[in-house]
């Protein structure tokens, strides 16, 4: 199975499985998405979706968030983990958005990455899902799948993102990365993984094995 064939198979299968794919984190605008993604670091989306309604009921915009203290934010988001760092980030970025961007989240990767506690993945999610700018945020699911599908070396997420952007069409990135997240959770988890239930990985492994056998036979 050539890389081109793998890519086509992955895209077609994911499109059949997830023709409509929701964003895992509940939000209503770029700001609430930014906060939700920030909170999701080392935390499940399910837990984040349980906590953000409590936070957003009090402050769902930078102006209201800036009125809270770091300690007040930390008390609400503590179940998400890393609350000291995340609360400082939320407080700090809210003030920066007010002072530099009139309370709006900038649709610019560099500007987003310069905000406190906002890394490349968080910025990429906001750019792709809030503003529709092509990006390929790599989380643990995508990193795992790219390695299992032999589409990336799996050395680090930077390499995985570069490989994904290189082999997948740019106009597919924003939807495809979401499809891969849902697929990873449902069919190809890190724990309790069963190859026979992993539709894409098992097909690729089988085709690759057949190709290798035929190649060895010819030699």
């Amino acid at each position: 199975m050539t890389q081109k064939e793998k890519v086509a198979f992955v895209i077609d299968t994911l499109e059949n499985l997830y023709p409509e794919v929701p964003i895992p984190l509940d939000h209503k605008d770029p700001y609430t998405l930014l906060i939700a993604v920030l909170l999701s670091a080392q935390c499940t989306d399910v837990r984040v979706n349980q906590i953000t309604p409590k936070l957003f009921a009090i402050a769902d915009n930078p102006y209201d968030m800036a009125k809270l203290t770091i300690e007040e934010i930390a008390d609400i988001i503590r179940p998400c983990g890393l609350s000291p760092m995340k609360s400082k980030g939320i407080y700090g970025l809210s003030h920066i958005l007010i002072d530099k961007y009139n309370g709006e989240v900038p649709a610019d990767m560099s500007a987003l990455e310069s905000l406190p506690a906002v890394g490349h993945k968080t910025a990429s999610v906001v750019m792709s899902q809030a503003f529709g700018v092509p990006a390929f945020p790599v989380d643990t699911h995508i990193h795992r799948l790219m390695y299992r599908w032999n589409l990336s070396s799996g050395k680090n997420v930077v390499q995985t993102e570069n490989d994904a952007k290189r082999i997948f069409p740019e106009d597919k990135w924003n939807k495809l990365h979401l499809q891969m997240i849902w697929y990873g959770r449902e069919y190809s988890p890190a724990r309790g993984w069963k190859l026979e239930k992993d539709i894409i990985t098992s097909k690729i492994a089988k085709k690759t094995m057949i190709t290798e056998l035929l190649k060895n036979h010819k030699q």
Side-chain angles (χ1 to χ4, degrees):
M1 197 175 209
T2 66
Q3 186 178 87
K4 185 176 181 179
E5 290 172 333
K6 284 183 193 176
V7 169
F9 175 64
V10 166
I11 292 174
D12 290 344
T13 304
L14 291 176
E15 189 61 32
N16 287 330
L17 289 172
Y18 309 105
E20 299 295 330
V21 56
I23 298 173
L25 294 168
D26 297 336
H27 67 285
K28 66 175 184 177
D29 57 23
Y31 179 76
T32 52
L33 177 62
L34 174 62
I35 300 303
V37 179
L38 187 158
L39 290 174
S40 71
Q42 297 186 35
C43 181
T44 66
D45 292 346
V46 172
R47 176 61 60 86
V48 172
N49 288 338
Q50 293 171 344
I51 300 304
T52 49
K54 301 174 185 177
L55 179 62
F56 295 154
I58 300 171
D60 63 356
N61 62 80
Y63 295 97
D64 287 335
M65 195 70 75
K67 294 175 184 177
L68 301 177
T69 65
I70 293 174
E71 291 73 22
E72 287 173 327
I73 298 171
D75 284 342
I76 298 172
I77 68 170
R78 188 162 283 111
C80 292
L82 304 177
S83 59
M85 180 273 290
K86 292 177 180 178
S87 58
K88 288 179 183 178
I90 292 171
Y91 179 85
L93 72 82
S94 296
H95 279 273
I96 291 173
L97 292 181
I98 294 170
D99 295 339
K100 291 186 65 176
Y101 303 104
N102 296 315
E104 300 293 328
V105 176
D108 179 85
M109 180 69 79
S110 297
L112 287 171
E113 290 182 325
S114 71
L115 296 173
V118 176
H120 180 70
K121 179 203 160 191
T122 297
S124 294
V125 172
V126 174
M127 289 299 291
S128 64
Q129 303 307 329
F131 300 117
V133 177
F136 212 111
V138 172
D139 71 347
T140 56
H141 298 290
I142 294 174
H143 187 56
R144 182 174 66 254
L145 292 178
M146 289 288 288
Y147 178 74
R148 285 181 175 173
W149 297 343
N150 198 28
L151 293 175
S152 184
S153 64
K155 291 180 179 178
N156 53 64
V157 294
V158 174
Q159 183 61 52
T160 299
E161 180 180 340
N162 289 337
D163 289 337
K165 287 182 173 180
R166 175 175 52 81
I167 64 178
F168 290 116
E170 186 174 322
D171 62 348
K172 303 280 187 185
W173 291 355
N174 289 356
K175 185 176 183 180
L176 188 61
H177 101 266
L178 288 174
Q179 292 171 321
M180 289 175 71
I181 290 172
W182 287 107
Y183 182 88
R185 292 174 175 177
E186 188 172 358
Y187 293 95
S188 191
R191 298 180 180 179
W193 176 55
K194 294 183 179 180
L195 180 60
E196 64 273 15
K197 292 184 178 180
D198 188 339
I199 304 167
I200 296 177
T201 308
S202 59
K203 180 71 173 290
I204 288 175
K206 184 177 179 181
K207 288 288 187 180
T208 301
M209 187 182 302
I210 291 172
T211 301
E212 288 300 317
L213 287 172
L214 290 173
K215 186 187 298 183
N216 293 335
H217 179 69
K218 289 180 180 178
Q219 291 175 345

